[in-house]
Each structure stands twice: as structure tokens, then as C-alpha cells.
């Protein structure tokens, strides 16, 4: 479940045949209104008077100046009439234009609106208002314009001619479809939209065939109500943006425009909105229509209802298409399921202008690559959103960045199912081979350069301080302490090697009492932990003396292969890379007040210095190990064979420089 925010809209609805005549007076009383301004069209004036009769003296005035698209001057006249009659409520009786005029008055006066709709516009349950000045239509949202009560009476829609029934019903169907991808959609609006779509698609052919079919008329009002509530919350998407321009700029009739454009928007958007496609198909199926291609099914429904096929049939000229596309483009919501630039809009509008059957359009618009990209992005967006509430913030940042980069890796290389399974098997093998003496994941981190990269990020260069390098998989806690000048070899085989140096700060001051952990391989290139007998050899720790000096005996290190009998070894083989590491000693230096140092010293002249399997070599860490003949040696020793010696001074950066 995607996180969502839902501002549910208030409002009371009263449904049923005869409602307008039987219940209107009660609803007016319920609102406490005593001076109503009745707003209607000249056509519905007689009906309005009939409905207003039971209200007696509570009708303070009747405004019959309603015109399509709520021209500003009509709104202004209605406002003046409301003020002149001292109205305390507005009663609209009619289609979307009558409701719209009442809303325009409510917008500036705050007067409550009672709506009695006679079409399927749905405007009566939305907080959206619209006003037209010249050829410019402005819309906005304001809770004050949302009618307080709506009386849905199918009796009042029986007079709606078949053509208007069809167009208005498809207009409502467009609200439903669009609620699946409009900017403020949520699961509840989708639910209302799916049920609304079903009711409309099922009832439309019946009501168009027999205008007096009250059951079908009731279902249409029910569908229109759901469509309006879904649209009122979800907002306008691509479809409404197109119709808004076509109606406002070129004066095309509202409902017919919606009916014609909808199949083309469905054909354009649904490939990028698989969930919407599935739910619309299901609703069409439930309504007894062909669910295979929703766009084609809606176009076939419109044709069956006798609606015009193309925008040219209702007055749009071909030479207006380019301008219309340019006007629509900036209004297209950024998260439309398929990116709609001016070129795509021109193609779509041209097909809608000509009335081209949508199946032939489905192959061309939209472009498959765009649909594919949108689908993939949607997966990433959903996963990123799932971490949006993760805490602490650093955890969220890390998780989201990991997802973003992992997904873009998969997209970049067009990862196949088999390859991903291969990767999972690889990690499974790494897990199975890992135990408390073998750490395949550190090896993996090392051979991928992640260990060195992380070290580089976290041990930023501090002038004069010794460089860091990888920890490697062979450090183990609990090594024995050795006195200064002692021997850490503890039986490890190899030529004796005497190691000494100092630990200072970056100003050259000695650091006494620093703990130095040392671990290394023997002459065969093995660490103690690689032997099965549990020995501890060629590892230990000591503290620097008062002069910051350290010294100890050990054995001359040897180059060695990192363990390559597991999945990491396979990786190296596949890359034609060797597993060898040049000979080295590990140091780990800790002392309060200084940044901990993890480093190696490498034996100068080692043949593997330029191809370390784990990328750990740094120029400053390559040190000369000198060879000495048998005889007297440091710490009072006299050796029977040759021995080697190395000196390495280490400089610690102050802890204040440490990365947080
Ligand atoms: P409308 O109110 O202009 O009515 C269309 C035609 O049908 C008119 O000629 C009208 O006289 C006639 N008519 C209405 N009811 C009739 C009936 N029962 N019998 C016979 N004739 C009848 O148009 P509409 O399609 O109802 O609504 C379209 C208007 O509503 C547009 O301006 C549109 O922008 C607006 N609208 C607004 C919203 C919103 O949320 N603000 C939502 C949908 C539509």
C-alpha cells in the first residue's frame, strides 16, 4: 500500500426518484435557509418554478441567466441579484452550468449551495469552480463552493435527450478514468472511480435506448455522483487539461469534447498505468463490455451511443491543433503515466480530430520506450516511497540511495532474470562459505574495491598522517600482548624480521602508550587462522614506549593468495585477475585523541605490488626490508641464519579530523 493523504469532502446527498419534489423543502429547512436565490437556465425555468413552489415565500429571487462555461458577466449579474434579494442560500437546478453559476456566487459570498443536478456533470460534489472571461477559462478550488446538499432525482433527467445523455454520461466516465492517474488520486478515489465507471458503462446504453428507463437513469446519477467525488479529490489530469483548452479556447461543447477525447487519452496513458488499465478493464467487463482494450471499448461505446467520432465534427479546425498542443503542454501534470510533450499531444489531438479508431493509434502513441521507462521508474518510485518514513534520517538516506543506485544499475545493464538469480546464488554461496574464521563478504568488499573506497572516504587526507589501507579478513580480536622488543612469531615459520619505528602526531611529537596490533602471514603465505589447529602465531599487540617508539621481532612476510576456493575466487578467475597480495604486515594503531589507523607496510620489490587483488597498495606504505647476515641482532639476540629488518614511523591524525 502506497502512503497517501486524503482530504475527504463533506456533503450530504439525497438519492431517489421523486426526491426533488418530495424532499427539497425539508432540505432547505435543514439548512436553515429562508431567502433562496434560485439559479437555473431559461430551459429549466418552468421546472424550477414547479420545484420551488413548495418552498413558498422562501424563494427570494430567480436567476435564469445561466450560460455554458459560466461567463464572468453572468456570474457578476447573479452575484448582484444575490445581494439585491438578500439571499442566504443558493439553489441551483440544472446541469453543470447552473451549478457552476451558483458556485461563482458562493465563491465571493460564501453562501451555501443546494444543488439539484439534471445532468451527469458531477460538478455538484466538487469544490472546483470555473469562470470564463472572453476565451479564457479560469478554474480553481475552494471549499466554500462545494454544495452542502445535493438532491439526485432521476425523474429530472428523463427529459435529457439521447445525445446529451450520451455525452454527459461519457463526461462522467472520463472523470472516473482520470481519477486513476490525476495528481491527488488515492485508493479511495480509485475505488469510487471503478464503481462509477461500471455503473455508467452499464446504464448508458439502456438510458440512451429508453430515456424513460428510471432504473438506468438512477444508475447514471449514481455513477455521476461517484465520478464527481473521485474527480473532486483526485483533480484534473491529462484528459481534463486537454478538454479545458478545447472548451475554453475553441468553444467546443463540454460533454461532447470529453466523450470524443477520452478514448485517445486512454490509449495514450493506459500502457503506462497498468493498474488503472486492469481496473478499468475489470469495470468494463462487469458492465458487459469488451475488457480487452479499454480505449477501444470506450470508443465503441461512444459510437454505439451515437456520439460524433472526431473533434472536427464539433467544430475544431485542423490548423488549430498545433496551437492547442502548445497550450496544453505546460498544464500536463508532471506525473502523467506517459510523458506528454507537444509532439505527442499533436499526434493525439490529430487522431482525436480525425476520429481515427484507437486500436490503430495504440501502436503509435505512446512510444514503447517511453512506456517502458515510465513503468520502470514507477517501481523505483514505489520502493523509494516505502522508505520515506524510515528512521533515523541517516538510515532513510542510506536505504533510499541504495535502492536508487541498485535500480539504476539493473536498468543500465538491462539485468536479466537469470543474471539476477546468478547474483543471488553468488551471495548465497558467499554466505554458506563464511564462518568465524572465513569471511567471504570482506573478501568480496576487498576485491570490488569497496573496502579501499570506504577507507578513502572515512580517512580523509590529513597532512603528514600515515595513509590507511584495508583491514582484510584476518584480523581477530584477543591476540596476545607482547612486551616492547618481544617476539610475536610464536612459532610461525620464516626468516626472523625485526620491526621498529615511532608513533608521533602530525607535529612530530611522540605518542606514548599507543596500542599497536600487528598480524601477518608466515613464509608460506598463511595466517594462523588458516591452519586448522587453532594456533595463534604471527599476531600480537604492544604499546609504544614513553618516546613513542615500538619494536618487536616477527617473521619476514610472504606474498599470498587471498582464499580463492569460494565465489570470490570465481569472480577473480572470470576477470583474469590473480588472487595474490604482495607481502605485507598489518598494523592497527589506537590511542585516545587520535584517529585510529589501520594500515600495512609492503615489502619493497615484491612482484605483486602492482596487482594487489584488493587494491590496498599505496606508494607511501612500500618500505625497504634490509637483509642481514647471521650473527648479533637487536634485543641481545645472536642469530644462526640471515634475518631482515624494517623501520616504519607512523603519524596519527588528531581525532578532531575524524569523519562523523
Ligand atoms: P450544461 O449545464 O451546460 O447542460 C448542457 C445542456 O443540457 C444545456 O443546454 C442544458 O440546458 C441542457 N440540459 C440540462 N439538463 C437537462 C435536462 N434534464 N433535460 C434537457 N436538457 C437539459 O452542461 P453539463 O454537461 O451539465 O455541464 C458542463 C459544465 O459543467 C461545463 O461548464 C463544465 O466545465 C462544468 N463542470 C464543472 C465541474 C466542476 O467540478 N467544477 C465538473 C464537471 C463539469
Amino acid at each position: 500500500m502506497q502512503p497517501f493523504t486524503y482530504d475527504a469532502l463533506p456533503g450530504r446527498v439525497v438519492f431517489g426518484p421523486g426526491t426533488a419534489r418530495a424532499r427539497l423543502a425539508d432540505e432547505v429547512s435543514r439548512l436553515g435557509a429562508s431567502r433562496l436565490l434560485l439559479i437555473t437556465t431559461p430551459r429549466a425555468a418552468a421546472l424550477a418554478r414547479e420545484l420551488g413552489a413548495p418552498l413558498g415565500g422562501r424563494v427570494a429571487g430567480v436567476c435564469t441567466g445561466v450560460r455554458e462555461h459560466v461567463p464572468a458577466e453572468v456570474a457578476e449579474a447573479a452575484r448582484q441579484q444575490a445581494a439585491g434579494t438578500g439571499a442566504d442560500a443558493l439553489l441551483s437546478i440544472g446541469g453543470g452550468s447552473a451549478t457552476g453559476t451558483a458556485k461563482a456566487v458562493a465563491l465571493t459570498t460564501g453562501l451555501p449551495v443546494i444543488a439539484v443536478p439534471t445532468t451527469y456533470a458531477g460538478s455538484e460534489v466538487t469544490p472546483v469552480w470555473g469562470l470564463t472571461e472572453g476565451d479564457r477559462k479560469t478554474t480553481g478550488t475552494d471549499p466554500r463552493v462545494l454544495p452542502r446538499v445535493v438532491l439526485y432525482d432521476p425523474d429530472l433527467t428523463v427529459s435529457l435527450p439521447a445525445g446529451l445523455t450520451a455525452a454527459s454520461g461519457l463526461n462522467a466516465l472520463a472523470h472516473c478514468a482520470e481519477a486513476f492517474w490525476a495528481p491527488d488520486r488515492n485508493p479511495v478515489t480509485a475505488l469510487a472511480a471503478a464503481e462509477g465507471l461500471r455503473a455508467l458503462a452499464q446504464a448508458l446504453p439502456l438510458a440512451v435506448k429508453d430515456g424513460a428507463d428510471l432504473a438506468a437513469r438512477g444508475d447514471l446519477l449514481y455513477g455521476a455522483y461517484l465520478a464527481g467525488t473521485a474527480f473532486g479529490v483526485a483533480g484534473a489530469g491529462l484528459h481534463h487539461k486537454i478538454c479545458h483548452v478545447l472548451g475554453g479556447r475553441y468553444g467546443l461543447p463540454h460533454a461532447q469534447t470529453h466523450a470524443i477525447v477520452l478514448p485517445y487519452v486512454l490509449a495514450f496513458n493506459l500502457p503506462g498505468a497498468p493498474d488503472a488499465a486492469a481496473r478499468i478493464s475489470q469495470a468494463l467487463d462487469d458492465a458487459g463490455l469488451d475488457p480487452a482494450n479499454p480505449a477501444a471499448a470506450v470508443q465503441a461505446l461512444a459510437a454505439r451511443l451515437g456520439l460524433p467520432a472526431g473533434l472536427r465534427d464539433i467544430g475544431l479546425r485542423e490548423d488549430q491543433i498545433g496551437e492547442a498542443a502548445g497550450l496544453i503542454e505546460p498544464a500536463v501534470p508532471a506525473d502523467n503515466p506517459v510523458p506528454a510533450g507537444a509532439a505527442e499531444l499533436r499526434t493525439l489531438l490529430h487522431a482525436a480530430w480525425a476520429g481515427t479508431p484507437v486500436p490503430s493509434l495504440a501502436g503509435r502513441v505512446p512510444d514503447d520506450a517511453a512506456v517502458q521507462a515510465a513503468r520502470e521508474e514507477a517501481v523505483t518510485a514505489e520502493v523509494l516511497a516505502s522508505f520515506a518514513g524510515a528512521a533515523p534520517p541517516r538510515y532513510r538516506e542510506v536505504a533510499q540511495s541504495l535502492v536508487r543506485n541498485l535500480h539504476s544499475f539493473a536498468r543500465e545493464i538491462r539485468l536479466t532474470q537469470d543474471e539476477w538469480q546468478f547474483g543471488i546464488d553468488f551471495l548465497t554461496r558467499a554466505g554458506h562459505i563464511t564462518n568465524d574464521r572465513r569471511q567471504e563478504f570482506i573478501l568480496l568488499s576487498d576485491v570490488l574495491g569497496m573496502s579501499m573506497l570506504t577507507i578513502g572516504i572515512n580517512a580523509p587526507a590529513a597532512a603528514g598522517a600515515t595513509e590507511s589501507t584495508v583491514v582484510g579478513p584476518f584480523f581477530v580480536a584477543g591476540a596476545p600482548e607482547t612486551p616492547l622488543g618481544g617476539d610475536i612469531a610464536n612459532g610461525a615459520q620464516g626468516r626472523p624480521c625485526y620491526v621498529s619505528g615511532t608513533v608521533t602526531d602530525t607535529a612530530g611529537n611522540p605518542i606514548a602508550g599507543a596500542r599497536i596490533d600487528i598480524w601477518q602471514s608466515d613464509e608460506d603465505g598463511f595466517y594462523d587462522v588458516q591452519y586448522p589447529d587453532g594456533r595463534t602465531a604471527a599476531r600480537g599487540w604492544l604499546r609504544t614506549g614513553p618516546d613513542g617508539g615500538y619494536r618487536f621481532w616477527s617473521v619476514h612476510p610472504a606474498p599470498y593468495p587471498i582464499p580463492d576456493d569460494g565465489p570470490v575466487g570465481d569472480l577473480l578467475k572470470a576477470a583474469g585477475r590473480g588472487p595474490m597480495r604482495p607481502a605485507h604486515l598489518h598494523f592497527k594503531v589506537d590511542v585516545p585523541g587520535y584517529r585510529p589507523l589501520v594500515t600495512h607496510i609492503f615489502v619493497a620489490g615484491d612482484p605483486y605490488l602492482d596487482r594487489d587483488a584488493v587494491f590496498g597498495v599505496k606508494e607511501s606504505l612500500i618500505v625497504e626490508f634490509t637483509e642481514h647476515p647471521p650473527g648479533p641482532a637487536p634485543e641481545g639476540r645472536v642469530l644462526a641464519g640471515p634475518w631482515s629488518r624494517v623501520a616504519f614511523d607512523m603519524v596519527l591524525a588528531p581525532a578532531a579530523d575524524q569523519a562523523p
Side-chain angles (χ1 to χ4, degrees), residues 79-126:
R79 285 168 184 157
Q80 282 177 13
Q81 199 174 352
T85 54
D88 62 1
L90 307 165
L91 170 63
S92 75
I93 298 175
S97 300
T99 315
T101 307
K103 283 176 165 186
V105 179
L107 182 65
T108 53
T109 61
L111 291 177
V113 177
I114 303 167
V116 183
T118 61
T119 67
Y120 310 118
S123 168
E124 66 283 351
V125 283
T126 81

Side-chain angles (χ1 to χ4, degrees), residues 581-592:
R581 295 216 59 203
H584 59 273
L585 259 71
H586 291 263
F587 288 97
K588 181 170 175 293
V589 189
D590 293 281
V591 59

Side-chain angles (χ1 to χ4, degrees), residues 439-462:
Q439 230 305 358
E440 196 74 359
F441 290 99
I442 294 184
L443 282 182
L444 182 59
S445 162
D446 288 352
V447 304
L448 292 177
M450 272 305 287
S451 304
M452 281 308 288
L453 181 62
T454 312
I455 286 165
I457 291 166
N458 292 286

Side-chain angles (χ1 to χ4, degrees), residues 194-223:
E195 170 63 356
L197 208 145
R198 180 207 59 77
L200 292 163
Q202 196 165 16
L204 260 171
L206 302 175
V208 165
K209 188 164 166 242
D210 175 9
D213 182 338
L214 271 184
R217 291 288 188 189
D219 285 349
L220 285 183
L221 275 181
Y222 167 63

